Amino acid sequence: MIINAFSKLAMTMTLVILFTAMGKAQQVEEVKLSREEQQLQRATEKVARAEASLARAQTGVEEADSLAASGKQMMDGAKADLKKWNTEKSALVKNYASEKKDLERQLKTDDRIQKDRVREQVRELDASHREQLREIDNKIKEAERTYEKGKSNLVKSKEKHKTANSKLKPTQKSLDEAQKELNQATGIDEKPPKPEKAEKPEKMETQEKPGKPEKQPKKDKKSETDDSGGK
C-alpha cells in the first residue's frame, strides 16, 4: 500500500510539472510582436531574401566571365598547338619524301645484296614515318577538340552572361526597395540632412578714395571788365 501511494504521488507530481510547462509554453506563444516589430521583422527578412537573390545573380555573372576566359584561353592554346604540329607534320612529310627518293635511287643498283639491304631500309622508313605521322595526327586532333571545346565555352558564357545580367538589374532594384523599407522601419532617414550653408564673410569696409579737388568756377569775362572799369 505504501508503494502504491508513493507511485500515485509521483504520477501526480509529474502531471503537475507537465501542466505547468505547457502553461508556460502557451504563455510564450501568446506573446505577440508589436506592429512596429512585425514590420521590422518583415523588412529584415525581405532584405535578406533580396541580398541572396542578388548574390546568386552576381555569382552567375562571375561564372560566365570565368567560362569566357577559360574558353578563350583554350582556343588560344589550341591555335598555337595546331600551328606547331602542322609545321612539324609538313617537315616530317618533306624529310620522308627526300629520304625515300634517295633510297629509291639506290634500288637501281645491279648488286642484289645491296638492293635487298636498301629495300629493308625503305620498309623501316615507311614504318617509322607512319608511326610518327600517326602521333602528330593524334596531337592535331586533340588540339582541334580543345579548340572546339573552348569555342563552345564561349557560346555558353554568352548565354549565361545574358541570363545573369537579366536578373542582376531587377534583383538590385528589389534590394534597394527592401533596404528603403528597412530604413523606414528602423527610423533611419534615407536622405542625409543638407549641409548648412557657410556664412559669407563680411566685406571689409573700403577706404574712401580721396575726392578730386573741386574746380573753381570760372569768372565771366564781362564781370572782369566791369570790375577793372570800376576801379
Side-chain angles (χ1 to χ4, degrees), residues 112-213:
R112 186 176 177 181
I113 298 175
Q114 179 66 19
K115 187 177 290 189
D116 291 341
R117 187 182 300 113
V118 173
R119 286 173 178 170
E120 181 64 26
Q121 291 176 355
V122 170
R123 285 193 292 270
E124 290 176 359
L125 178 64
D126 289 343
S128 176
H129 176 71
R130 284 194 299 269
E131 183 64 26
Q132 291 175 341
L133 195 62
R134 187 183 300 111
E135 290 179 0
I136 290 180
D137 284 340
N138 288 337
K139 290 177 180 178
I140 290 174
K141 289 178 181 178
E142 183 179 354
E144 288 174 344
R145 286 194 296 269
T146 301
Y147 182 86
E148 290 300 322
K149 187 175 180 180
K151 187 177 179 180
S152 176
N153 284 349
L154 277 182
V155 174
K156 291 178 181 178
S157 70
K158 289 180 181 179
E159 295 175 355
K160 195 174 184 67
H161 216 288
K162 185 178 180 181
T163 303
N165 280 330
S166 65
K167 296 179 180 179
L168 196 61
K169 190 174 181 180
T171 52
Q172 181 64 60
K173 184 179 179 181
S174 298
L175 178 59
D176 293 340
E177 293 174 352
Q179 188 64 52
K180 185 177 180 180
E181 292 181 12
L182 181 60
N183 290 343
Q184 292 175 350
T186 54
I188 298 176
D189 188 4
E190 193 175 11
K191 296 182 180 179
K194 295 182 179 180
E196 297 181 358
K197 294 183 178 179
E199 295 182 358
K200 295 182 179 180
E202 296 181 358
K203 294 183 178 180
M204 296 179 64
E205 295 182 358
T206 56
Q207 294 181 354
E208 295 183 358
K209 295 181 179 180
K212 294 182 180 180

Side-chain angles (χ1 to χ4, degrees), residues 211-226:
K212 294 182 180 180
E214 295 181 358
K215 293 182 178 181
Q216 296 294 330
K218 293 182 179 180
K219 291 183 178 181
D220 191 3
K221 290 182 179 181
K222 185 178 181 180
S223 61
E224 288 179 356
T225 55
D226 291 345

